[in-house]
């Protein structure tokens, strides 16, 4: 069978966690392929809200096995606390979760380095989640990182010491106070905890599942506009969040990729610094934040809000090879009598384009909007046939502009508030 991929097309927080959980019963395996504890994937069912950071969002479905892939950066301390929270729900986490030996380890000094580097950037800070993502990927690319499989080796303490000493030197240059003693016991305890799980060669595991005919869903973190290569650099995360990242982050060859589910909010949000052409700094933006409860799942920071941005969505669809679109949070737009859609950008010289300029930041971009009628009614409990005509018109407008079918509409945070649309061929 092919490996389907589900990933965010905007700046993260599109609702990936909810939809992976909704889709997971159809899949034998759910596999996270990049990112780490910077992610916050929210799932809601039976009146309980769960936020996952490193654990794949298939974990609540008993028949689904979950894999943390080699492309992930894993913090053992965060891992331990996530698992402890999940164990309250009587899940079979220990037999349903597999961790790649090749995943990179986040150690406590990576978090400190993140803080030091952000502080040094001053006004130009990225707005990082401060979970150690940038520094741990730097060590991976710099060929000096530690990997999950290293914890099984007797030389682990020595390798760890070497990396901590290296970090201590950098932290000293930054004048950043640091004492390893404060972190060591907690970290080593979390490492021992991690060792109780199945640490595997996940590329062999996944390829043998493909051969057996198992169904696999690759779960992305962050969003395409935060991709290290294609996002609004330097205001991005440090991994490839796009479909290609699923290949390198899981060891799955491109020819095994099947459907690419591109998930987006019916509007836009962004948390952290960086360009955001359709951002609303007015009462509409505030109303969107309030109605959508737009506060970061990992950091609690208020998310910046704005209208949907089609040039950037078209870009994400192109880079990812999206085959189906999933539109989230349609209910949030119910508060607006009319809804704006940015269809193109007007550049400083007066020309209009639906392509992303090289520099979104310095380029003086004015979004050009089409205005559509709002539906202005609650979507609670509605099925596909009961959807208001203005919402159907919004969806059909987006399908025409984006040239990809929208096969799912989400109308609330709960598992059940999900409308599967008839899949038309593009
Ligand atoms: P992820 O990082 O892509 O998994 O998304 P987050 O969990 O960070 O943010 C999405 C937020 O929107 C969460 O609080 C979800 O519970 C919530 N959510 C998901 N789908 C919907 C929806 O259709 N309507 C509303 N109102 N909330 C939703
Ligand atoms: P999920 O998976 C939204 C943002 C941060 C910051 C930038 C870099 O929940 O969609 P990092 O900590 O990676 O160095 O931060 O990326 N960011 C996210 N924004 N959702 C996320 O994940 C994010 N992960 C990182 O706010 O702007
Ligand atoms: Mg999130």
């Amino acid at each position: 069978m092919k490996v389907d991929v589900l990933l965010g097309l905007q700046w993260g927080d599109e609702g990936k966690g909810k939809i992976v959980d909704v889709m997971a019963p159809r899949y034998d395996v759910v596999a996270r392929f990049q990112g780490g504890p910077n992610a916050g994937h929210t799932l809601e069912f039976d009146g309980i809200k769960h936020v996952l950071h490193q654990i794949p969002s298939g974990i609540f479905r008993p028949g689904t096995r979950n894999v943390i892939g080699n492309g992930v950066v894993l913090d053992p301390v965060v891992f331990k606390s996530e698992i402890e929270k999940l164990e309250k729900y009587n899940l079979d986490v220990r037999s349903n979760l597999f961790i790649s030996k090749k995943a990179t380890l986040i150690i406590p000094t990576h978090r400190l380095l993140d803080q030091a580097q952000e502080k040094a950037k001053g006004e130009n800070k990225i707005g990082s989640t401060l979970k150690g993502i940038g520094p741990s990927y730097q060590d991976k690319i710099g060929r000096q990182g530690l990997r999950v499989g290293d914890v099984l080796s007797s030389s682990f303490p020595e390798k760890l010491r070497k990396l901590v000493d290296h970090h201590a030197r950098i932290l000293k240059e930054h004048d950043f106070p640091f004492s390893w003693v404060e972190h060591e016991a907690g970290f080593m305890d979390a490492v021992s905890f991690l060792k109780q799980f199945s640490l595997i060669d996940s590329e062999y595991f996944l390829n043998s599942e493909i051969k057996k005919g198992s169904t696999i869903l690759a779960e992305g973190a962050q969003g395409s506009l935060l991709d290290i290569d294609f996002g609004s650099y330097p205001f991005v995360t440090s991994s490839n969040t796009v479909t290609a990242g699923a290949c390198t982050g899981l060891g799955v060859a491109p020819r095994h990729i099947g459907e690419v589910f591109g998930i987006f909010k019916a509007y836009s949000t962004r948390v952290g610094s960086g360009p955001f052409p359709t951002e609303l700094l007015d009462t509409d933006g505030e109303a969107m934040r309030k109605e959508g409860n737009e506060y970061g799942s990992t950091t609690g920071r208020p998310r910046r809000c704005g209208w949907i941005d089609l040039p950037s969505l078209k870009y994400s669809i192109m880079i990812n090879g999206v085959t189906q679109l999933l539109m989230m949070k349609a209910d949030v737009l119910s508060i607006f009598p009319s809804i704006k859609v940015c269809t193109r950008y007007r550049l400083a010289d007066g020309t209009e384009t639906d392509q992303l300029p090289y520099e979104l930041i310095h380029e003086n971009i004015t979004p050009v909007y089409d205005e559509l009628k709002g539906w202005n009614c609650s979507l609670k409990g509605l099925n596909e046939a009961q959807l208001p005509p203005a919402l159907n018109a919004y969806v059909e407008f987006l399908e025409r502009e984006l040239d990809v079918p929208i096969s799912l509409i989400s109308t609330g945070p709960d598992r059940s508030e999900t409308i599967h649309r008839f899949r038309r061929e593009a």
Side-chain angles (χ1 to χ4, degrees):
M1 288 294 280
K2 297 273 189 193
V3 176
D4 295 339
V5 182
L6 180 137
L7 42 73
L9 300 181
Q10 296 162 318
W11 285 284
D13 302 331
E14 296 88 351
K16 298 175 291 292
K18 166 179 167 169
I19 297 302
V20 171
D21 169 65
V22 166
M23 289 181 164
R26 281 197 255 147
Y27 289 93
D28 299 309
V29 180
V30 170
R32 261 285 293 275
F33 59 87
Q34 44 67 236
N38 50 349
H41 293 182
T42 314
L43 293 73
E44 262 189 64
F45 54 88
D46 300 339
I48 304 175
K49 180 170 155 173
H50 306 271
V51 182
L52 298 171
H53 301 287
Q54 307 183 115
I55 313 290
S57 303
I59 201 72
F60 290 96
R61 302 294 197 173
T64 306
R65 281 163 297 153
N66 292 270
V67 174
I68 297 178
N70 56 280
V72 170
V73 282
L74 185 85
D75 184 332
V77 178
V78 177
F79 177 79
K80 182 167 181 270
S81 85
E82 273 198 85
I83 296 287
E84 283 168 353
K85 269 189 209 142
L86 288 175
E87 281 183 332
K88 282 199 292 228
Y89 298 99
N90 250 342
L91 297 171
D92 204 2
V93 198
R94 282 166 203 266
S95 57
N96 272 349
L97 181 61
F98 302 84
I99 304 161
S100 170
K101 284 190 201 161
K102 293 193 174 72
T104 297
L105 279 181
I106 299 181
I107 69 170
T109 38
H110 283 130
R111 283 197 302 271
L112 303 177
L113 285 169
D114 219 350
Q115 287 175 34
Q117 289 176 1
E118 280 285 78
K119 199 165 159 228
K121 286 197 169 89
E123 274 192 357
N124 297 322
K125 68 172 188 186
I126 308 293
S128 154
T129 59
L130 303 178
K131 301 291 178 191
I133 305 299
S136 55
Y137 277 120
Q138 278 167 25
D139 279 346
K140 172 181 176 173
I141 301 299
R143 298 168 293 187
Q144 59 191 10
L146 291 172
R147 303 194 292 180
V148 166
D150 293 339
V151 303
L152 302 172
S153 148
S154 58
S155 62
F156 180 68
E158 192 189 318
K159 285 184 176 169
L160 177 64
R161 186 77 247 172
K162 214 171 137 201
L163 192 59
V164 170
D165 287 348
H166 171 64
H167 290 167
R169 283 193 293 275
I170 310 175
L171 288 166
K172 199 162 173 216
E173 277 167 31
H174 280 280
D175 245 344
F176 203 89
F178 152 69
S179 143
W180 177 241
V181 191
E182 273 174 33
H183 301 279
E184 189 173 14
F187 181 68
M188 292 314 287
D189 179 43
V191 165
S192 306
F193 182 82
L194 179 65
K195 281 192 203 169
Q196 300 165 20
F197 285 75
S198 303
L199 310 183
I200 62 162
D201 295 309
S202 57
E203 62 280 33
Y204 278 115
F205 175 91
L206 291 167
N207 281 287
S208 105
E209 290 295 322
I210 293 172
K211 244 189 193 148
K212 274 195 255 168
S214 300
T215 47
I216 301 175
L217 181 64
E219 173 181 1
Q222 290 77 56
S224 304
L225 303 176
L226 289 171
D227 180 89
I228 183 72
D229 281 281
F230 300 105
S232 44
Y233 193 84
F235 300 100
V236 292
T237 190
S238 298
S239 64
N240 278 119
T241 60
V242 295
T243 306
C247 295
T248 58
L250 296 175
V252 164
R255 72 187 172 96
H256 293 307
I257 301 295
E259 295 289 331
V260 178
F261 300 110
I263 180 165
F264 67 101
K265 280 179 190 166
Y267 50 98
S268 307
T269 65
R270 173 165 203 165
V271 58
S273 329
F276 182 177
T278 62
E279 181 170 16
L280 291 168
L281 297 165
D282 56 9
T283 49
D284 279 349
E286 270 165 40
M288 235 177 231
R289 184 174 311 114
K290 187 156 174 261
E291 188 66 17
N293 193 22
E294 294 295 358
Y295 296 90
S297 315
T298 297
T299 57
R301 290 179 291 176
R303 295 178 184 144
R304 300 155 65 193
C305 296
W307 299 116
I308 199 164
D309 177 342
L310 298 191
S312 66
L313 274 180
K314 284 179 184 173
Y315 184 76
S316 297
I317 289 168
M318 172 180 81
I319 297 291
N320 288 305
V322 171
T323 59
Q324 295 187 48
L325 287 166
L326 319 176
M327 188 178 90
M328 308 301 289
K329 301 191 103 162
D331 54 305
V332 175
L333 292 186
S334 297
I335 56 170
F336 295 104
S338 71
I339 294 167
K340 287 188 180 168
V341 177
C342 167
T343 51
R344 51 208 189 277
Y345 300 147
R346 186 172 305 123
L347 306 179
D349 64 3
T351 54
E352 290 188 0
T353 178
D354 68 350
Q355 297 198 350
L356 294 196
Y358 171 66
E359 281 272 23
L360 267 178
I361 310 170
H362 302 300
E363 188 80 46
N364 192 1
I365 287 173
T366 314
V368 181
Y369 291 107
D370 275 27
E371 198 152 345
L372 276 76
K373 207 167 148 310
W375 41 94
N376 239 206
C377 63
S378 164
L379 303 178
K380 208 136 198 89
L382 301 190
N383 61 33
E384 188 184 357
Q386 296 163 331
L387 289 181
L391 171 55
N392 286 328
Y394 186 68
V395 169
E396 283 157 21
F397 180 86
L398 297 183
E399 284 184 318
R400 262 195 317 275
E401 287 280 326
L402 300 172
D403 205 20
V404 182
I406 296 178
S407 58
L408 182 149
I409 300 172
S410 174
T411 57
D414 193 86
R415 250 182 203 171
S416 61
E417 295 171 297
T418 310
I419 295 173
H420 298 271
R421 294 178 84 221
F422 174 68
R423 166 123 209 261
R424 281 153 292 167
E425 291 308 320

